[in-house]
Amino acid sequence: MTDGTGKRNDPSRRQRIVDAAQAVIADVGVAATTHRRIATAAGVPLGSVTYYFTSLEALLTEAFLQLAAHSSAAFRARLERAPDQASAREAVIDIIAESIWAEPRTLLLSYELYAFAARHPPVSAVMQQWMDSSRAALGRFFDPLTARALDALVEGIGIHNSIDQAPLDRVAIREIVERIAGG
């Protein structure tokens, strides 16, 4: 298919590059992520990567923005089904216990995002947007301080459970959430 000028039109190419960037980051980490690796993973010419993204940092930022948007949407969707605070506490328990946020790939990408943001302050805005979105979803049911604590709890238990030889089970998660949020 062409765009009328004889050039090939590939409307999904930019997104394939972003998806490939996430895959490469999850596979080898940000430090080993290169334009060439991303192009290979996306199945596109190397020049396509630099055509769509002015720098590797711009591409990594977009990949992390999309990660944050996807994770925030799943988090928010579960909380939106809650009609009251008791249901919202159950939603938080579900989010943690069912690894809604903490899928292995998402966790790997999140670790990389935190490290990248620490070394690239402008990218910390991605993390702030993610936290703001989570806290806003929690803020429908909890005061700002409790929402902040629950947000940190979701990420913290997810991270710990991903590597802990004795991860917290649903009963323990419920007790912790109830200590923080009442119940």
Side-chain angles (χ1 to χ4, degrees):
M1 179 162 72
T2 65
D3 65 4
T5 64
K7 294 182 180 179
R8 289 189 55 162
N9 185 8
D10 184 356
S12 65
R13 183 173 286 190
R14 184 180 192 282
Q15 187 58 50
R16 279 200 332 269
I17 292 168
V18 173
D19 294 343
Q22 288 182 351
V24 170
I25 294 164
D27 188 39
V28 300
V30 167
T33 296
T34 63
H35 285 100
R36 188 171 307 282
R37 281 190 165 138
I38 294 167
T40 299
V44 301
L46 181 59
S48 289
V49 177
T50 56
Y51 172 81
Y52 286 103
F53 297 96
T54 57
S55 67
L56 186 57
E57 184 169 320
L59 174 51
L60 295 173
T61 300
E62 179 63 23
F64 286 135
L65 277 169
Q66 288 189 23
L67 167 70
H70 173 75
S71 295
S72 293
F75 187 98
R76 204 171 38 254
R78 179 59 188 93
L79 279 165
E80 284 174 354
R81 296 195 308 261
D84 55 30
Q85 191 180 68
S87 298
R89 280 193 304 273
E90 285 301 315
V92 171
I93 294 163
D94 288 347
I95 289 167
I96 298 169
E98 296 172 13
S99 297
I100 290 171
W101 170 79
E103 298 169 345
R105 181 176 185 270
T106 303
L107 278 171
L108 275 174
L109 289 168
S110 299
Y111 300 151
E112 293 292 331
L113 171 54
Y114 273 106
F116 187 71
R119 291 181 181 86
H120 298 86
V123 181
S124 66
V126 174
M127 293 303 305
Q128 191 63 55
Q129 286 175 3
W130 191 343
M131 289 185 296
D132 291 347
S133 176
S134 299
R135 291 175 189 168
L138 290 161
R140 288 183 44 227
F141 304 100
F142 306 101
D143 66 85
L145 191 57
T146 302
R148 189 173 186 151
L150 289 170
D151 180 41
L153 182 72
V154 168
E155 287 192 41
I157 290 178
I159 291 167
H160 284 226
N161 274 355
S162 74
I163 58 173
D164 198 328
Q165 292 181 2
L168 294 172
D169 63 13
R170 187 177 195 86
V171 172
I173 292 166
R174 175 179 305 285
E175 184 174 334
I176 294 166
V177 169
E178 288 176 354
R179 286 182 185 185
I180 292 171

